[in-house]
Amino acid sequence: MADSTPEDRDEASTPDDTATADATSSVGEPGSVGAKSSGDEPRSGDEPTSDDDAQAASAAATALDADSDGQADHAADADDSDSDDADSDDFETHHSPALIATAVALPVVLIVAVLVAAFIALRAPVEREPLALGPVPAPAADGPACQALLPALPAELGDYTKATLVEPAPPATRAWQLPDGGDPITLRCGLDRPLEFNRASPLTVIDGVKWFQVRDEAGKTGTWFAVDRETYIALTVPDGSGTSAVQTVSDTINANLPAREPTPGEL
C-alpha cells in the first residue's frame, strides 16, 4: 500500500467535515425545523387577545384616574391647610394683644362712665319751683334790725339751701329747702310779739340768743322766736331737720344784733 500524503488526507476529510458543518448549521438556525422543540412552541392559551388588551387598558386608565384624584385631593388639602394657616396668621396679625385688651376694657369704661354720670345726676341739685309764702303782720320788717340781719344770713343751713320765693314775697323773709324740695325752713323778721309769749313761757338759750318755741303738731313744725333783740324774729323748722339751723341763725343774730332783756306779755 502506498503511503498517502497530507494533501490527500485533507481532501479525503473535507466532504465529511462539510456535511458535519452543514448539519450543525441547520440545527443552530432558528428557522430550521430541527431547532424547534415542542416546549418552545407557544400555547394557544398564552397568546394575548384584544379583550385582554382592552381590560388592561381600562385598568391602567382607572389607576391613572385614581392617582390623579388622589393628587388633586392632596393638593386641595394642602391649599386648605395653607388657607387655614393664612387665616390664623391674619387673625394673629389683626387681633393683637393691645386690640384685644382694648375690646375688653372698652365695655368696662363705658359702664363706669354710666355709673359716674348717674351718681353726678343724683347729686346735682334739682331745679326747684319758687316757694310761695303767705304774708304775716311784720310792722318792723323795714326797720334797721332786719336790714342788718337779712344780708348776713347764710345761703345754706345744713343740707338746706336758699330757696327762691314767689313774687311778691313777704318783706324781710328768707327760706331754705332741701335739694329735692319739701317743707322749707323759713325766717321772718320784724314781727309782733307772739301771743303765746308771756312771763310764764320757758326760754331756751342757744349761742347767746334767748328763744321761745311754739309747736305746731298738725304741721309737724316748730317755730322758734328770738325774744331778746330789738325786734322779734321767727324761725320755723320742720320736724327731723335737726338743730343746726337754729344754731347757725343764733350765731348770725348774735353777731349782728345787740341783745336786750325780753318783754313778755302778761299772764
Side-chain angles (χ1 to χ4, degrees):
M1 180 180 295
D3 295 331
S4 64
T5 65
E7 289 82 358
D8 295 335
R9 288 193 297 271
D10 292 337
E11 290 177 357
S13 63
T14 298
D16 296 334
D17 293 337
T18 300
T20 302
D22 292 338
T24 301
S25 175
S26 65
V27 171
E29 290 179 358
S32 62
V33 177
K36 296 181 180 180
S37 63
S38 63
D40 294 335
E41 293 179 356
R43 293 178 297 216
S44 61
D46 295 336
E47 293 180 357
T49 64
S50 59
D51 293 339
D52 294 337
D53 292 340
Q55 293 177 357
S58 176
T62 302
L64 181 60
D65 292 340
D67 184 59
S68 298
D69 292 341
Q71 292 179 356
D73 293 340
H74 180 71
D77 293 340
D79 291 341
D80 292 341
S81 178
D82 293 341
S83 177
D84 292 340
D85 293 340
D87 292 341
S88 178
D89 293 339
D90 290 341
F91 180 83
E92 293 177 356
T93 301
H94 297 295
H95 297 78
S96 62
L99 182 60
I100 295 174
T102 302
V104 172
L106 184 59
V108 177
V109 172
L110 291 176
I111 293 173
V112 172
V114 170
L115 293 177
V116 171
F119 178 78
I120 293 175
L122 291 175
R123 296 290 296 176
V126 179
E127 188 67 24
R128 297 177 304 212
E129 294 291 333
L131 183 64
L133 294 177
V136 296
D142 295 330
C146 293
Q147 292 179 359
L149 176 63
L150 265 64
L153 291 172
E156 296 181 359
L157 294 177
D159 294 333
Y160 289 72
T161 58
K162 185 178 179 180
T164 301
L165 301 181
V166 174
E167 297 293 341
T173 302
R174 293 290 182 272
W176 297 262
Q177 278 184 299
L178 291 172
D180 57 351
D183 294 333
I185 295 174
T186 60
L187 182 141
R188 299 174 186 265
C189 183
L191 304 180
D192 288 330
R193 182 177 62 197
L195 297 176
E196 299 87 350
F197 179 52
N198 54 51
R199 293 178 181 178
S201 299
L203 301 179
T204 302
V205 178
I206 301 175
D207 293 342
V209 178
K210 295 178 181 180
W211 294 92
F212 165 65
Q213 185 184 30
V214 176
R215 288 286 306 164
D216 182 357
E217 298 299 338
K220 296 182 178 181
T221 60
T223 299
W224 296 78
F225 290 92
V227 296
D228 62 344
R229 306 294 151 160
E230 179 183 341
T231 187
Y232 290 95
I233 303 165
L235 182 68
T236 302
V237 182
D239 289 351
S241 60
T243 60
S244 62
V246 178
Q247 292 172 344
T248 301
V249 172
S250 295
D251 292 338
T252 305
I253 291 174
N254 202 35
N256 291 275
L257 301 178
R260 72 175 187 179
E261 284 299 319
T263 56
E266 296 295 330
L267 291 175

